[in-house]
Amino acid sequence: EIGKPAERYRQAASQLSTKRLSSGKDLSRQVQDCLKSLGLPNAHMDVQVTPQEDPGSPVLEKGKGMLASPLGWDKVEFLFSANPGEPLRPLAKTASGGEASRVMLGLKTVLAASDEIPTLIFDEIDTGVGARTAPEVAVLLGRLSRDKQVVCVSHLAPIAGLGENHLQVAKDMHKGGTSVE
């Protein structure tokens, strides 16, 4: 009884894997283009799609048992390198705070049209961003705000200056306590 459902799953998972490989290449290219304008001209990004095996699985691909999960059999991981000559490594382990902020901004910019989330919140998006790159960050945030509500915490005037509405938050410490206004 499990043969037919396993074969249907195999076909669907195989198609999903093929689409992930193709979409991953497009996504990487588009994010890399964004990263160039965000002050990371030598950055490289890749989407690694790795089929996961499960020897006990009834789902067989080329004679091997494959992981059967609701999300397909692939492990998908973002790989990143900020500098030429450095190998691609997992984004979460490689990118500095500023690099991670810019990669996230690039991803959100590229995916904005297909993302159903109506509000994006960027906290300290200017981490590690210098005066030369800040206007480019501001332009991308402005582009995002055409389709989404964007809430951005920033300390840089070029970024804050393009916002339509501004709130100033101040932290005050007195007599051993802290208040936020």
Side-chain angles (χ1 to χ4, degrees), residues 45-56:
M45 186 179 145
D46 193 19
V47 178
Q48 184 178 52
V49 179
T50 308
Q52 302 294 293
E53 294 180 19
D54 179 0

Side-chain angles (χ1 to χ4, degrees), residues 94-159:
T94 304
S96 69
E99 292 164 349
S101 293
R102 288 181 260 183
V103 169
M104 182 57 67
L105 179 56
L107 281 167
K108 289 296 184 181
T109 300
V110 170
L111 297 173
S114 61
D115 188 350
E116 295 179 11
I117 298 172
T119 302
L120 300 174
I121 300 172
F122 293 100
D123 184 12
E124 307 281 345
I125 192 67
D126 52 21
T127 300
V129 173
R132 189 177 306 153
T133 306
E136 296 297 329
V137 171
V139 167
L140 284 181
L141 288 168
R143 189 181 315 159
L144 269 176
S145 71
R146 291 183 209 139
D147 300 315
K148 310 283 182 186
Q149 177 183 20
V150 175
V151 177
C152 180
V153 177
S154 179
H155 299 281
L156 294 177
I159 293 174

Side-chain angles (χ1 to χ4, degrees), residues 11-30:
Q11 290 174 0
S14 178
Q15 289 174 357
L16 178 59
S17 191
T18 299
K19 287 181 181 180
R20 283 177 170 157
L21 286 167
S22 174
S23 297
K25 289 177 185 175
D26 289 343
L27 179 64
S28 297
R29 182 186 47 76
Q30 292 176 45

